[in-house]
Short mmCIF file of all heavy atoms in Angstrom, two decimals:
data_model
loop_
_atom_site.label_atom_id
_atom_site.label_comp_id
_atom_site.label_asym_id
_atom_site.label_seq_id
_atom_site.Cartn_x
_atom_site.Cartn_y
_atom_site.Cartn_z
N LYS A 1338 0.84 -1.21 0.00
CA LYS A 1338 0.00 0.00 0.00
C LYS A 1338 0.87 1.26 0.00
O LYS A 1338 0.61 2.20 -0.75
CB LYS A 1338 -0.91 -0.01 1.23
CG LYS A 1338 -1.75 1.22 1.41
CD LYS A 1338 -2.58 1.14 2.69
CE LYS A 1338 -3.33 2.43 2.92
NZ LYS A 1338 -4.17 2.37 4.13
N LEU A 1339 1.91 1.26 0.83
CA LEU A 1339 2.80 2.41 0.89
C LEU A 1339 3.59 2.57 -0.41
O LEU A 1339 3.76 3.68 -0.91
CB LEU A 1339 3.75 2.28 2.08
CG LEU A 1339 3.12 2.38 3.47
CD1 LEU A 1339 4.12 2.00 4.55
CD2 LEU A 1339 2.55 3.77 3.71
N GLN A 1340 4.07 1.46 -0.96
CA GLN A 1340 4.83 1.52 -2.21
C GLN A 1340 3.95 1.99 -3.37
O GLN A 1340 4.40 2.74 -4.22
CB GLN A 1340 5.45 0.16 -2.52
CG GLN A 1340 6.61 -0.17 -1.61
CD GLN A 1340 7.14 -1.58 -1.83
OE1 GLN A 1340 6.40 -2.48 -2.25
NE2 GLN A 1340 8.41 -1.78 -1.50
N ASP A 1341 2.70 1.56 -3.38
CA ASP A 1341 1.77 1.97 -4.42
C ASP A 1341 1.48 3.47 -4.37
O ASP A 1341 1.11 4.07 -5.37
CB ASP A 1341 0.46 1.19 -4.34
CG ASP A 1341 0.62 -0.26 -4.77
OD1 ASP A 1341 1.66 -0.60 -5.36
OD2 ASP A 1341 -0.31 -1.05 -4.51
N SER A 1342 1.67 4.07 -3.19
CA SER A 1342 1.47 5.52 -3.07
C SER A 1342 2.77 6.29 -3.31
O SER A 1342 2.85 7.48 -3.03
CB SER A 1342 0.87 5.86 -1.70
OG SER A 1342 1.81 5.61 -0.67
N GLY A 1343 3.79 5.60 -3.81
CA GLY A 1343 5.03 6.26 -4.21
C GLY A 1343 6.11 6.34 -3.15
O GLY A 1343 7.10 7.05 -3.33
N LYS A 1344 5.95 5.62 -2.05
CA LYS A 1344 6.95 5.66 -0.97
C LYS A 1344 8.06 4.63 -1.22
O LYS A 1344 7.81 3.55 -1.71
CB LYS A 1344 6.30 5.36 0.39
CG LYS A 1344 5.07 6.18 0.71
CD LYS A 1344 5.34 7.64 0.70
CE LYS A 1344 4.07 8.43 0.97
NZ LYS A 1344 4.11 9.77 0.46
N ASN A 1345 9.26 4.98 -0.82
CA ASN A 1345 10.38 4.05 -0.82
C ASN A 1345 10.35 3.35 0.54
O ASN A 1345 10.61 3.98 1.55
CB ASN A 1345 11.69 4.81 -1.03
CG ASN A 1345 12.88 3.91 -1.01
OD1 ASN A 1345 12.76 2.69 -1.11
ND2 ASN A 1345 14.05 4.50 -0.86
N VAL A 1346 10.02 2.07 0.56
CA VAL A 1346 9.82 1.34 1.81
C VAL A 1346 10.84 0.23 1.94
O VAL A 1346 11.10 -0.52 0.99
CB VAL A 1346 8.40 0.74 1.88
CG1 VAL A 1346 8.18 0.03 3.20
CG2 VAL A 1346 7.34 1.81 1.68
N LYS A 1347 11.42 0.12 3.12
CA LYS A 1347 12.34 -0.96 3.46
C LYS A 1347 11.82 -1.62 4.73
O LYS A 1347 11.54 -0.94 5.72
CB LYS A 1347 13.74 -0.39 3.70
CG LYS A 1347 14.79 -1.42 3.97
CD LYS A 1347 15.17 -2.14 2.70
CE LYS A 1347 16.34 -3.06 2.96
NZ LYS A 1347 16.62 -3.94 1.86
N ALA A 1348 11.65 -2.94 4.70
CA ALA A 1348 11.12 -3.67 5.85
C ALA A 1348 12.16 -4.64 6.39
O ALA A 1348 12.87 -5.29 5.62
CB ALA A 1348 9.85 -4.42 5.46
N LEU A 1349 12.25 -4.71 7.70
CA LEU A 1349 13.16 -5.64 8.37
C LEU A 1349 12.37 -6.43 9.39
O LEU A 1349 11.83 -5.86 10.34
CB LEU A 1349 14.31 -4.88 9.05
CG LEU A 1349 15.33 -5.72 9.80
CD1 LEU A 1349 16.09 -6.64 8.85
CD2 LEU A 1349 16.32 -4.83 10.55
N GLY A 1350 12.29 -7.73 9.18
CA GLY A 1350 11.54 -8.60 10.08
C GLY A 1350 12.45 -9.48 10.90
O GLY A 1350 13.45 -9.99 10.40
N TYR A 1351 12.10 -9.63 12.18
CA TYR A 1351 12.84 -10.54 13.07
C TYR A 1351 12.13 -11.88 13.08
O TYR A 1351 10.95 -11.97 13.40
CB TYR A 1351 12.93 -9.96 14.48
CG TYR A 1351 13.64 -10.87 15.44
CD1 TYR A 1351 14.96 -11.27 15.23
CD2 TYR A 1351 13.00 -11.35 16.57
CE1 TYR A 1351 15.61 -12.11 16.11
CE2 TYR A 1351 13.64 -12.19 17.47
CZ TYR A 1351 14.96 -12.57 17.23
OH TYR A 1351 15.59 -13.40 18.10
N VAL A 1352 12.86 -12.93 12.72
CA VAL A 1352 12.29 -14.26 12.59
C VAL A 1352 13.04 -15.21 13.52
O VAL A 1352 14.26 -15.33 13.42
CB VAL A 1352 12.43 -14.77 11.14
CG1 VAL A 1352 11.74 -16.11 10.96
CG2 VAL A 1352 11.89 -13.75 10.16
N GLU A 1353 12.31 -15.86 14.41
CA GLU A 1353 12.96 -16.83 15.30
C GLU A 1353 13.08 -18.20 14.64
O GLU A 1353 13.91 -19.00 15.03
CB GLU A 1353 12.21 -16.91 16.63
CG GLU A 1353 12.37 -15.64 17.44
CD GLU A 1353 11.65 -15.68 18.77
OE1 GLU A 1353 10.64 -16.41 18.89
OE2 GLU A 1353 12.08 -14.96 19.68
N ASN A 1354 12.24 -18.47 13.63
CA ASN A 1354 12.25 -19.75 12.95
C ASN A 1354 12.68 -19.54 11.50
O ASN A 1354 11.90 -19.06 10.69
CB ASN A 1354 10.86 -20.39 13.01
CG ASN A 1354 10.79 -21.73 12.33
OD1 ASN A 1354 11.75 -22.20 11.72
ND2 ASN A 1354 9.63 -22.35 12.41
N LYS A 1355 13.90 -19.89 11.17
CA LYS A 1355 14.45 -19.63 9.84
C LYS A 1355 13.66 -20.32 8.73
O LYS A 1355 13.59 -19.84 7.61
CB LYS A 1355 15.92 -20.05 9.79
CG LYS A 1355 16.61 -19.57 8.54
CD LYS A 1355 18.11 -19.69 8.65
CE LYS A 1355 18.76 -18.99 7.49
NZ LYS A 1355 20.16 -18.75 7.69
N HIS A 1356 13.02 -21.43 9.03
CA HIS A 1356 12.25 -22.15 8.01
C HIS A 1356 11.02 -21.36 7.57
O HIS A 1356 10.50 -21.57 6.49
CB HIS A 1356 11.83 -23.53 8.54
CG HIS A 1356 13.00 -24.39 8.89
ND1 HIS A 1356 13.84 -24.91 7.93
CD2 HIS A 1356 13.48 -24.80 10.08
CE1 HIS A 1356 14.79 -25.62 8.52
NE2 HIS A 1356 14.60 -25.57 9.83
N LEU A 1357 10.58 -20.44 8.41
CA LEU A 1357 9.40 -19.64 8.08
C LEU A 1357 9.62 -18.79 6.85
O LEU A 1357 8.74 -18.66 6.01
CB LEU A 1357 9.03 -18.75 9.27
CG LEU A 1357 7.76 -17.93 9.15
CD1 LEU A 1357 6.54 -18.84 9.06
CD2 LEU A 1357 7.62 -17.00 10.34
N THR A 1358 10.81 -18.22 6.70
CA THR A 1358 11.06 -17.33 5.57
C THR A 1358 11.43 -18.08 4.30
O THR A 1358 11.47 -17.48 3.23
CB THR A 1358 12.17 -16.31 5.89
OG1 THR A 1358 13.33 -17.02 6.29
CG2 THR A 1358 11.72 -15.35 6.96
N GLY A 1359 11.68 -19.36 4.39
CA GLY A 1359 12.00 -20.14 3.21
C GLY A 1359 10.87 -20.19 2.20
O GLY A 1359 11.08 -20.37 1.01
N GLN A 1360 9.64 -20.00 2.67
CA GLN A 1360 8.49 -20.06 1.78
C GLN A 1360 8.21 -18.73 1.08
O GLN A 1360 7.41 -18.68 0.15
CB GLN A 1360 7.25 -20.49 2.56
CG GLN A 1360 6.88 -19.53 3.68
CD GLN A 1360 5.82 -20.10 4.59
OE1 GLN A 1360 4.95 -20.82 4.12
NE2 GLN A 1360 5.89 -19.79 5.87
N PHE A 1361 8.88 -17.67 1.50
CA PHE A 1361 8.66 -16.37 0.88
C PHE A 1361 9.75 -16.09 -0.14
O PHE A 1361 10.92 -16.34 0.11
CB PHE A 1361 8.66 -15.25 1.93
CG PHE A 1361 7.71 -15.48 3.06
CD1 PHE A 1361 8.14 -15.47 4.36
CD2 PHE A 1361 6.37 -15.72 2.81
CE1 PHE A 1361 7.28 -15.69 5.41
CE2 PHE A 1361 5.49 -15.94 3.85
CZ PHE A 1361 5.94 -15.93 5.15
N LEU A 1362 9.34 -15.54 -1.26
CA LEU A 1362 10.32 -15.16 -2.26
C LEU A 1362 11.09 -13.94 -1.76
O LEU A 1362 10.49 -13.02 -1.23
CB LEU A 1362 9.63 -14.82 -3.58
CG LEU A 1362 8.92 -15.97 -4.27
CD1 LEU A 1362 8.13 -15.46 -5.47
CD2 LEU A 1362 9.93 -17.02 -4.71
N PRO A 1363 12.40 -13.93 -1.94
CA PRO A 1363 13.15 -12.74 -1.53
C PRO A 1363 12.69 -11.52 -2.33
O PRO A 1363 12.48 -11.61 -3.53
CB PRO A 1363 14.60 -13.09 -1.87
CG PRO A 1363 14.62 -14.55 -2.13
CD PRO A 1363 13.24 -14.96 -2.48
N LYS A 1364 12.52 -10.43 -1.64
CA LYS A 1364 12.12 -9.20 -2.29
C LYS A 1364 13.15 -8.14 -1.96
O LYS A 1364 13.75 -8.15 -0.90
CB LYS A 1364 10.73 -8.75 -1.80
CG LYS A 1364 9.63 -9.73 -2.16
CD LYS A 1364 8.30 -9.21 -1.69
CE LYS A 1364 7.20 -10.19 -2.01
NZ LYS A 1364 5.91 -9.74 -1.54
N LEU A 1365 13.31 -7.21 -2.87
CA LEU A 1365 14.32 -6.18 -2.73
C LEU A 1365 14.10 -5.33 -1.48
O LEU A 1365 15.05 -4.92 -0.83
CB LEU A 1365 14.33 -5.29 -3.98
CG LEU A 1365 15.43 -4.26 -4.07
CD1 LEU A 1365 16.79 -4.95 -4.04
CD2 LEU A 1365 15.29 -3.45 -5.34
N SER A 1366 12.86 -5.09 -1.11
CA SER A 1366 12.59 -4.19 0.00
C SER A 1366 12.45 -4.91 1.35
O SER A 1366 12.08 -4.29 2.33
CB SER A 1366 11.33 -3.37 -0.29
OG SER A 1366 10.24 -4.22 -0.53
N TYR A 1367 12.74 -6.20 1.41
CA TYR A 1367 12.62 -6.96 2.65
C TYR A 1367 13.96 -7.57 3.06
O TYR A 1367 14.67 -8.12 2.23
CB TYR A 1367 11.63 -8.12 2.49
CG TYR A 1367 10.20 -7.69 2.38
CD1 TYR A 1367 9.67 -7.30 1.16
CD2 TYR A 1367 9.36 -7.70 3.47
CE1 TYR A 1367 8.36 -6.91 1.04
CE2 TYR A 1367 8.04 -7.32 3.37
CZ TYR A 1367 7.54 -6.92 2.15
OH TYR A 1367 6.24 -6.54 2.03
N ASP A 1368 14.26 -7.47 4.34
CA ASP A 1368 15.38 -8.19 4.92
C ASP A 1368 14.87 -8.90 6.16
O ASP A 1368 13.86 -8.50 6.74
CB ASP A 1368 16.51 -7.22 5.34
CG ASP A 1368 17.39 -6.83 4.18
OD1 ASP A 1368 17.74 -7.72 3.37
OD2 ASP A 1368 17.73 -5.65 4.07
N PHE A 1369 15.59 -9.94 6.57
CA PHE A 1369 15.19 -10.69 7.75
C PHE A 1369 16.38 -10.79 8.71
O PHE A 1369 17.52 -10.91 8.29
CB PHE A 1369 14.70 -12.08 7.38
CG PHE A 1369 13.48 -12.06 6.50
CD1 PHE A 1369 13.58 -12.30 5.15
CD2 PHE A 1369 12.24 -11.77 7.03
CE1 PHE A 1369 12.46 -12.27 4.34
CE2 PHE A 1369 11.11 -11.73 6.23
CZ PHE A 1369 11.22 -11.98 4.88
N LEU A 1370 16.07 -10.75 9.99
CA LEU A 1370 17.05 -10.90 11.05
C LEU A 1370 16.71 -12.18 11.80
O LEU A 1370 15.55 -12.38 12.19
CB LEU A 1370 16.98 -9.69 11.99
CG LEU A 1370 17.89 -9.71 13.21
CD1 LEU A 1370 19.35 -9.67 12.79
CD2 LEU A 1370 17.58 -8.51 14.12
N TYR A 1371 17.71 -13.03 11.98
CA TYR A 1371 17.52 -14.31 12.65
C TYR A 1371 18.29 -14.32 13.97
O TYR A 1371 19.20 -13.51 14.17
CB TYR A 1371 18.03 -15.45 11.76
CG TYR A 1371 17.36 -15.49 10.41
CD1 TYR A 1371 17.95 -14.92 9.29
CD2 TYR A 1371 16.11 -16.08 10.27
CE1 TYR A 1371 17.33 -14.94 8.06
CE2 TYR A 1371 15.47 -16.11 9.03
CZ TYR A 1371 16.09 -15.54 7.94
OH TYR A 1371 15.46 -15.55 6.72
N PRO A 1372 17.97 -15.25 14.87
CA PRO A 1372 18.71 -15.32 16.13
C PRO A 1372 20.22 -15.47 15.95
O PRO A 1372 20.99 -15.02 16.80
CB PRO A 1372 18.12 -16.57 16.81
CG PRO A 1372 16.71 -16.63 16.30
CD PRO A 1372 16.82 -16.17 14.86
#
């Protein structure tokens, strides 16, 4: 929604289970932090 309104968005998610992010395609605006 923010990107569609012309914003430059960067998201950083903290994930305790590394297998959870394996199902998501890597995207340029997303990074993940693991334990």
Side-chain angles (χ1 to χ4, degrees):
K1338 176 182 175 178
L1339 292 170
Q1340 288 174 332
D1341 289 347
S1342 68
K1344 309 301 178 204
N1345 179 15
V1346 182
K1347 184 74 173 171
L1349 179 64
Y1351 178 60
V1352 185
E1353 290 180 334
N1354 181 356
K1355 191 166 189 164
H1356 299 291
L1357 185 65
T1358 56
Q1360 61 191 326
F1361 306 125
L1362 295 173
K1364 297 182 181 179
L1365 187 59
S1366 57
Y1367 289 83
D1368 278 318
F1369 298 103
L1370 177 65
Y1371 302 98

